[in-house]
Amino acid sequence: MSLEGRKGRRAPLLLGLLFLASTPHAAGAAAQELSAAELDQRTAEVAAELRCPVCRNQSVLESSSGLAREMQSVIRDRLAAGESPEDVREYFVGRYGDWILLKPEPKGINLLVYLLPAVALLGGAGLLVRQIRRWTGATTASGGTAESVVIPGGPAPVEDAAGRDGDQPAAGTAGSLSKEEEDWIRRQMESVH
Amino acid sequence: MLSTLGYAAVIAALLGAVVMTVAGLVGGFRNHPLLSDVARRSAYFSFAAMMAAIIVMEAALLGHDFSVEYVSRVGSRETPAYYTAISLWSSLDGSILFWGWILAGYAALLAVVRRRSTDRLTPFVLGAMGIVGIFFYGLLVGPANPFGLVVPTPENGPGPNPLLQNHPLMGLHPPLLYLGFVGLSVPFAFAIGALLSGNLEAGWLRDARRWMVAAWAFLSLGIVGGAWWSYEVLGWGGYWAWDPVENASFLPWLTATAFLHSVMVQERRGMLKTWNLSLIIGTFILTLFGTFLTRSGILDSVHAFTEGVIGPIFLGFIAFITLGSFALIAWRSDRLHAPGTLDGAVSRESAFILNNLIFVALTFTVLLGTVFPLVVEALRSERISVGPPYFDMVFTPLALILLFLMGVGPALPWRRATPDKLKRTFWVPLALGAATVAIIFLLGVRRVYPLVTFGFAGFVFGTIAEEFRKGVSARRRISARPAPLAFMDLFTRNGRRYGGYVVHAGIVVMAVGLAISGSWKLEREVTLQQGEKLEIAGYTVQFEEIWGREEPQRFVVGGTFQAWKGDRHLGEQQPRLNYYPTSQQPIATPAVESSLAKDLYLTLMAFDGENGEHATVRAIVNPAVAWLWIGGLIVGIGALIAIWPHRRPSYRPELAAELAGRGDVAEEPAVGEEESEPARVATGGPVE
């Protein structure tokens, strides 16, 4: 795990210094009253989701760099002045672009990074449930189907994850699949044995 | 001089790999013992050559021969000898040299271990190792040649990357990671060898699995060691940042772990043949991809990597391996068809298959999160970040499902579980899990994830304890040995199974450590005047003085602090900031006072440079971090038990049948190691 410093991050640093000079320091005139502990907590929450612009993959909360610590005090001042965490994030996005957010905003192309894992998991589970049914069906008529067998007394039945996540979507997608797609899936599953 | 010697050695290794590949593949196809022997000897030859290359490089580094290009880039006369020696892996060319050396070592070990084998598999496996060898030695001869000659010879060099010469652990965790990464090419070679030889039924999988466990153990220790290094060096109080470099090591670990579970389904039931091959091949591809990701410069910018040669070459090799491997699978598809059957949906098979689904989904998610910013940048020239908040959000629930499965899988019988059997098997673990949740809840914990983690941890420990209890009582009935000896017998007689449980126990310990340290970390940053104290979570820290010290390769500024836990004096703490001439930012060395319950972690953030009257210190109280390292160690020990070679005791079917009849140990013979070979082959045949 080498940590060779990344180059090419100088521009954000300059930007950062520029905006630091222009931040409002009217923190005292807080519209809302937050206790110091609450303010600490919220500051940390916002700082954890912002990237430290001059570091390698560290959040503003974690970084010990001067800029990150300045940013923390900006976050704190703005929260104390009554801005919502959302406002503060927007402010930094305005200065640095979406790059500053460690968790991308779920919009546009970014939706993919949130949806694809679910699609993969549910799709996989759907295929798996069908495959398990096929396998169980091949031997015995008495071997239960995937969703009907549960562990008595258990907090979560063993097939729960597959059943819950996979069953409905699988049934749902099955309806919307074309014949061709179904055949393709079947071929894929056959090659999986 | 050394430059020429080293380059000659690398060329020799490349020639050895070419001969090994040709002799291995031709020897395999023609079934020619002489050619197989040539392949074996070429493996020794390449290893000898790479050994020479490493010795030459170390001699150049330690002798400060700056006419050697690599030394001129990472060496310096001021760097201490230890860090000079390990700067072998501090930059691209050196790490590929190191990689090549380990690869040659694995190939030679493979050749030694299989020197008496007369099957067709061995030459094919060596041939496949040779292909990987050609790639890496070829890199060393061409674009990543570390032995280039620098004219005129510089007087001195810049020294290694400051972060890599700041802590002795740097000598430990990269070699472990490399042993793991490169080790994964051995199961890959077995998979390719088996596909080429066409004998996909038995033998090869067993060997591939053993090598996989060994590589997996190194990789696990390397990952935990990397986390430890990060904790001790980077000074931010954490150990895992979902950095692309970390993810690169984690991805093949995930697929290798998936394989180690699904392989049992194939061994038992002859199912999932194509799937298991794909997991082995995918794991190897992920090691290449991880190296590409971290070494090609693509992380700095999508467009940077095309300027270098390494990136495109790596991509080309990845494409070649991917297409080649899956073409082989398609070619052999007739022999891979083994229509599986499941007797019951609730069975150990199903648990393993579900485990694989989750592992693959995790792999996909981590991979997606890692490359997503690159894809977006390439497509739309926008820069976005996918960092720890995202990964924590998607990783935690999936990891918890895996934790739960860890308590279910081992206790489920193969083939089918009856409701009655399930009740008997799970009531103790479930009770233990529920009791854990209740106790933790009564202690005041209300957070969901930690509560769930604790509950599952109790459940898994219950399952493991039950398994050991059953095993011991079965042993005692057979041998009448006292319980402690019977307990030890489990490890020597069925190390694979019980070693696996030890690994599980280690993972649970780590999960608990992660849940606690992730949820109850406390942090304060305070500027202290001399003599002033700060209090945090029962700890008291007092600032005494700031000092500075000139060292040959750096300037060190340290703060002396006294620390107490309650009334107990913990001694002097000296967090430092190290100033290297090659680094603009100082590199911190935190002071960590560890205990099993909590760590006090001090980082010097800023100081009064004029007269040292005040210092800004970040104090972090990190609970249960030590359990991560302990858990990692348990995982390593478990893996060692699992692959430790033991004399296989003779299998006594009548005893197993008797035991199975009693229903205590189900179909699992606790007597011998797993089942006998013929039985496995029999179940492996086609059913339809």
Side-chain angles (χ1 to χ4, degrees):
Chain A
M1 209 171 303
S2 83
L3 277 127
E4 289 158 37
R6 289 214 233 159
K7 295 185 181 73
R9 298 275 197 262
R10 295 287 167 262
L13 171 63
L14 288 177
L15 267 176
L17 292 176
L18 276 176
F19 91 77
L20 283 174
S22 67
T23 40
H25 281 277
Q32 276 180 324
E33 304 228 339
L34 284 171
S35 77
E38 275 173 337
L39 193 57
D40 278 351
Q41 173 74 19
R42 287 204 194 168
T43 306
E45 277 167 13
V46 174
E49 299 208 338
L50 294 179
R51 178 190 274 272
C52 157
V54 292
C55 315
R56 192 202 154 94
N57 204 30
Q58 282 189 348
S59 71
V60 168
L61 180 67
E62 293 152 0
S63 169
S64 56
S65 76
L67 177 58
R69 290 164 65 219
E70 293 287 348
M71 283 170 75
Q72 277 206 48
S73 64
V74 172
I75 297 169
R76 202 185 162 82
D77 290 351
R78 286 185 166 260
L79 288 173
E83 289 188 24
S84 73
E86 195 49 44
D87 295 338
V88 180
R89 270 196 292 272
E90 281 306 315
Y91 168 75
F92 282 102
V93 169
R95 297 281 164 172
Y96 289 96
D98 287 337
W99 177 76
I100 201 76
L101 298 177
L102 283 172
K103 200 159 116 185
E105 293 236 40
K107 59 168 197 216
I109 194 173
N110 295 351
L111 280 172
L112 284 179
V113 83
Y114 293 97
L115 293 181
L116 284 181
V119 169
L121 184 68
L122 297 182
L127 287 179
L128 211 69
V129 167
R130 285 178 67 157
Q131 187 63 45
I132 286 180
R133 270 192 204 160
R134 174 188 293 249
W135 277 331
T136 49
T139 41
T140 52
S142 62
T145 51
E147 72 280 10
S148 68
V149 179
V150 294
I151 302 171
V158 71
E159 291 303 327
D160 187 57
R164 183 191 54 218
D165 296 344
D167 212 34
Q168 275 123 352
T173 37
S176 59
L177 286 179
S178 70
K179 183 88 187 72
E180 217 172 64
E181 285 167 325
E182 270 184 282
D183 286 339
W184 183 83
I185 290 172
R186 192 163 301 124
R187 277 201 304 280
Q188 294 304 305
M189 288 191 309
E190 271 158 13
S191 68
V192 168
H193 307 173
Chain B
M1 184 66 237
L2 286 178
S3 162
T4 318
L5 264 181
Y7 196 60
V10 171
I11 290 179
L14 177 61
L15 289 177
V18 171
V19 174
M20 181 160 88
T21 306
V22 175
L25 297 184
V26 176
F29 279 118
R30 297 267 173 87
N31 208 356
H32 201 302
L34 184 67
L35 282 176
S36 307
D37 205 45
V38 169
R40 202 157 29 234
R41 282 165 204 278
S42 322
Y44 303 148
F45 177 78
S46 281
F47 178 60
M50 284 307 292
M51 191 75 227
I54 288 283
I55 291 172
V56 168
M57 182 51 83
E58 282 296 342
L61 281 168
L62 291 167
H64 300 299
D65 183 345
F66 295 106
S67 69
V68 176
E69 204 222 324
Y70 186 71
V71 181
S72 76
R73 277 190 288 119
V74 304
S76 93
R77 295 186 190 279
E78 290 75 32
T79 308
Y82 173 74
Y83 292 105
T84 299
I86 66 171
S87 63
L88 175 63
W89 48 80
S90 72
S91 186
L92 172 74
D93 313 353
S95 34
I96 292 192
L97 183 68
F98 188 52
W99 181 302
W101 178 54
I102 295 175
L103 183 67
Y106 273 119
L109 188 61
L110 198 59
V112 173
V113 171
R114 299 184 74 87
R115 66 190 176 283
R116 292 194 207 294
S117 80
T118 51
D119 58 12
R120 288 176 65 201
L121 181 62
T122 308
F124 278 126
V125 174
L126 288 173
M129 284 297 275
I131 294 173
V132 183
I134 290 174
F135 174 68
F136 280 99
Y137 311 145
L139 282 179
L140 290 170
V141 170
N145 171 24
F147 291 106
L149 189 64
V150 185
V151 186
T153 305
E155 277 302 300
N156 204 344
N161 182 325
L163 270 177
L164 308 186
Q165 50 168 312
N166 209 42
H167 197 283
L169 270 177
M170 204 55 208
L172 182 71
H173 100 89
L176 285 172
L177 268 182
Y178 277 84
L179 280 169
F181 254 56
V182 186
L184 292 172
S185 53
V186 183
F188 167 75
F190 270 98
I192 296 301
L195 282 167
L196 287 171
S197 76
N199 183 3
L200 289 151
E201 280 307 323
W204 78 273
L205 193 66
R206 195 183 178 82
D207 291 306
R209 189 200 66 89
R210 282 180 80 90
W211 286 96
M212 185 69 108
V213 176
W216 179 93
F218 282 128
L219 189 56
S220 308
L221 290 175
I223 291 172
V224 176
W228 192 19
W229 172 82
S230 172
Y231 185 66
E232 297 280 346
V233 174
L234 297 185
W236 57 284
Y239 36 78
W240 189 263
W242 295 106
D243 186 276
V245 187
E246 291 167 332
N247 297 352
S249 64
F250 192 44
L251 286 167
W253 186 90
L254 287 171
T255 48
T257 312
F259 167 78
L260 289 176
H261 292 91
S262 65
V263 67
M264 287 184 264
V265 179
Q266 183 174 346
E267 283 177 306
R268 281 275 167 166
R269 308 293 311 273
M271 295 158 68
L272 306 179
K273 284 180 183 166
T274 307
W275 176 246
N276 283 326
L277 280 167
S278 308
L279 279 179
I280 295 181
I281 292 163
T283 302
F284 177 66
I285 291 171
L286 284 174
T287 65
L288 293 176
F289 181 75
T291 314
F292 161 73
L293 201 62
T294 53
R295 290 301 186 186
S296 66
I298 194 172
L299 291 173
D300 290 321
S301 156
V302 179
H303 311 290
F305 88 101
T306 43
E307 288 159 20
V309 250
I310 295 283
I313 292 180
F314 253 95
L315 271 193
F317 187 61
I318 290 172
F320 166 71
I321 291 290
T322 312
L323 294 176
S325 305
F326 289 98
L328 279 179
I329 288 181
W331 176 49
R332 290 298 191 193
S333 59
D334 56 322
R335 303 190 192 203
L336 291 167
H337 265 291
T341 52
L342 282 181
D343 300 313
V346 179
S347 59
R348 187 163 323 169
E349 292 92 317
S350 310
F352 282 148
I353 292 170
L354 191 55
N355 146 309
N356 267 231
L357 170 68
I358 307 289
F359 267 112
V360 171
L362 263 182
T363 311
F364 175 76
T365 307
V366 175
L367 184 61
L368 178 72
T370 310
V371 301
F372 196 70
L374 302 177
V375 175
V376 171
E377 192 187 344
L379 290 180
R380 333 179 96 196
S381 304
E382 280 169 22
R383 298 187 64 186
I384 64 155
S385 306
V386 178
Y390 169 82
F391 286 106
D392 288 342
M393 182 186 83
V394 292
F395 177 78
T396 314
L398 289 173
L400 283 175
I401 298 177
L402 283 175
L403 187 61
F404 175 71
L405 279 179
M406 212 188 242
V408 175
L412 281 179
W414 289 97
R415 292 179 177 274
R416 185 189 307 177
T418 60
D420 187 48
K421 164 100 185 150
L422 289 176
K423 225 178 279 177
R424 267 186 299 140
T425 309
F426 284 110
W427 81 265
V428 172
L430 282 175
L432 205 60
T436 315
V437 174
I439 291 171
I440 304 290
F441 188 83
L442 289 178
L443 286 174
V445 175
R446 295 291 182 273
R447 298 197 199 188
V448 176
Y449 276 150
L451 272 177
V452 174
T453 309
F454 287 126
F456 286 176
F459 174 60
V460 178
F461 268 125
T463 299
I464 296 173
E466 275 284 287
E467 287 293 302
F468 273 104
R469 187 190 62 74
K470 281 182 203 162
V472 167
S473 77
R475 278 300 309 157
R476 294 194 66 193
R477 271 202 303 278
I478 298 162
S479 62
R481 304 241 281 170
L485 288 177
F487 180 76
M488 294 310 291
D489 281 354
L490 297 180
F491 293 125
T492 55
R493 288 178 173 258
N494 195 348
R496 177 173 169 184
R497 181 172 170 192
Y498 292 95
Y501 293 154
V502 174
V503 170
H504 279 189
I507 300 278
V508 172
V509 169
M510 290 181 71
V512 170
L514 281 170
I516 297 179
S517 64
S519 305
W520 288 286
K521 179 173 158 182
L522 279 175
E523 184 165 343
R524 279 192 72 189
E525 192 177 313
V526 183
T527 301
L528 297 174
Q529 301 296 323
Q530 276 191 348
E532 204 182 338
K533 289 177 180 169
L534 97 90
E535 306 224 344
I536 177 170
Y539 287 93
T540 310
V541 177
Q542 184 178 33
F543 171 50
E544 282 191 346
E545 57 168 354
I546 286 288
W547 50 265
R549 182 172 72 216
E550 179 96 46
E551 290 183 8
Q553 80 282 22
R554 63 183 181 187
F555 188 81
V556 182
V557 174
T560 301
F561 296 81
Q562 299 294 339
W564 293 265
K565 186 180 188 178
D567 294 331
R568 193 161 56 87
H569 189 216
L570 297 174
E572 221 167 65
Q573 309 293 319
Q574 307 220 326
R576 305 194 303 268
L577 288 172
N578 308 295
Y579 292 83
Y580 289 88
T582 48
S583 165
Q584 292 185 348
Q585 304 254 0
I587 309 294
T589 302
V592 188
E593 182 72 31
S594 272
S595 74
L596 288 181
K598 286 174 185 176
D599 288 6
L600 174 67
Y601 189 105
L602 297 178
T603 313
L604 188 61
M605 306 292 283
F607 55 89
D608 172 11
E610 282 176 23
N611 34 26
E613 278 175 359
H614 58 84
T616 306
V617 65
R618 174 192 279 179
I620 301 173
V621 175
N622 250 338
V625 171
W627 292 99
L628 284 176
W629 324 137
I630 294 170
L633 206 61
I634 298 174
V635 168
I637 292 168
L640 195 64
I641 294 172
I643 51 168
W644 197 262
H646 284 292
R647 176 185 56 85
R648 288 187 70 185
S650 55
Y651 178 61
R652 290 148 71 196
E654 71 285 352
L655 250 175
E658 189 204 331
L659 286 169
R662 291 190 200 171
D664 254 5
V665 286
E667 303 96 276
E668 193 86 21
V671 196
E673 195 192 6
E674 306 130 44
E675 61 197 306
S676 62
E677 199 68 33
R680 185 175 311 119
V681 175
T683 54
V687 177
E688 274 180 6

